Amino acid sequence: MVLKEDKHPMEASGMEQEITDSDERGLKRRRVARVAAPPVSRRPSLPPLTYVRLGERPLRRLPQLFIGLALYGFSLSVMVRAALGVNPWSVLYEGLEHHTPLSFGTISAVLGVLVLLLWIPLKQAPTFGTVANIVVLACSSDFGLLLIPQNLGLPARIGLLVGGILLNGLSVAVYVGARFGPGPRDGLMTGASTATGRSIRLIRTLIEITVLAVGWLLGGTVGAGTVLYALTVGPITQFFMPWFAYSSLAERVGDTVPSEEGKPAATI
């Protein structure tokens, strides 16, 4: 019987080294592939937020609009009961509430209608979403003020403030994402920007500062919550927006839908 000779130690060592080098090269290639490959995002893409006609999938979009507006109005009442500072428009509502017999929600509706009158020289046209904004916000904010007690302790008020800001940012993403057009205040901003040629950022800043100053002079609450709201509500809304922004039928097949004349995009 012939015995099979073992391989020379040097030859065996060379083969092992070759296998090891091959494994290391394969490992390096896999690492490079993982680094080069773009991360897979689970968040949906954000479509344009221009106006989409009322007749397109109303059973899908109308509930989103009304739920978002109801949550938005409720979030305003939550921040009011926190009594640590509210957003500029709510400061104005609070200030006027001290000088009129009208409720917080009623004042928001009345000012919404008055702001709509300013749309006329700006050649803006209201949409269904604009009218819904006025009515639903007034009802839901007054309901929230009736539901939430006053004179709570500081820990509870801090919780209300943080929760109110989070809910506010979420609700803006929900109702704006339904794409029924801007509310009265956002329409004033976009219309003034178009008419003057100034940036939306500048126009919005001027409007917010004016509203805040008038509200403060009338006795509205300005505090840490006002600053916290200004700094955080934008990023919160931007985070939630891709999950709620409606994509029109045309956009789903690769086309784009321009906003209709006189019906600008909803603005965050």
Side-chain angles (χ1 to χ4, degrees):
M1 182 174 62
V2 179
L3 296 177
K4 195 173 183 181
E5 293 183 359
D6 293 336
K7 293 184 178 180
H8 193 278
M10 293 295 293
E11 183 181 353
S13 176
M15 292 180 63
E16 291 175 358
Q17 183 63 37
E18 184 178 349
I19 293 173
T20 302
D21 292 344
S22 177
D23 291 342
E24 289 182 354
R25 287 193 297 270
L27 181 59
K28 288 180 179 178
R29 283 196 297 269
R30 287 194 293 271
R31 286 176 178 172
V32 171
R34 284 198 297 268
V35 172
V40 178
S41 176
R42 296 183 179 180
R43 298 182 70 193
S45 59
L46 181 63
L49 298 177
T50 50
Y51 176 84
V52 175
R53 60 187 179 85
L54 178 61
E56 182 172 323
R57 299 190 68 188
L59 296 180
R60 154 67 174 79
R61 296 165 57 219
L62 283 174
Q64 179 176 334
L65 172 69
F66 288 121
I67 291 173
L69 290 174
L71 291 177
Y72 184 85
F74 187 79
S75 72
L76 296 181
S77 64
V78 171
M79 289 186 286
V80 168
R81 287 292 182 251
L84 293 171
V86 291
N87 68 40
W89 282 97
S90 293
V91 173
L92 179 59
Y93 302 158
E94 274 193 314
L96 289 171
E97 197 175 12
H98 295 324
H99 299 276
T100 67
L102 303 177
S103 68
F104 183 93
T106 303
I107 291 172
S108 73
V110 170
L111 284 182
V113 174
L114 294 177
V115 169
L116 277 183
L117 296 178
L118 298 176
W119 283 31
I120 298 174
L122 298 175
K123 299 180 180 180
Q124 295 273 88
T127 65
F128 177 81
T130 307
V131 178
N133 185 292
I134 295 173
V135 177
V136 178
L137 258 62
C139 296
S140 59
S141 57
D142 272 352
F143 175 75
L145 291 174
L146 290 174
L147 187 65
I148 304 171
Q150 302 183 57
N151 303 319
L152 297 171
L154 182 59
R157 290 162 56 204
I158 293 175
L160 285 176
L161 175 64
V162 174
I165 293 175
L166 288 172
L167 182 60
N168 188 273
L170 170 64
S171 63
V172 171
V174 173
Y175 84 77
V176 169
R179 298 176 64 177
F180 279 104
R185 300 150 195 85
D186 286 336
L188 173 64
M189 176 183 61
T190 55
S193 175
T194 301
T196 62
R198 302 293 183 179
S199 68
I200 287 180
R201 179 186 305 175
L202 174 62
I203 295 298
R204 177 161 189 157
T205 301
L206 292 175
I207 292 175
E208 298 282 318
I209 291 175
T210 302
V211 167
L212 180 63
V214 174
W216 177 70
L217 291 173
L218 291 174
T221 304
V222 179
T226 308
V227 178
L228 184 62
Y229 178 91
L231 294 176
T232 61
V233 71
I236 293 171
T237 302
Q238 191 67 32
F239 174 81
F240 285 114
M241 185 62 72
W243 300 101
F244 296 100
Y246 171 77
S247 295
S248 68
L249 300 178
E251 289 162 356
R252 293 178 189 179
V253 296
D255 296 332
T256 58
V257 178
S259 59
E260 295 184 17
E261 184 178 356
K263 298 179 180 179
T267 307
I268 299 172

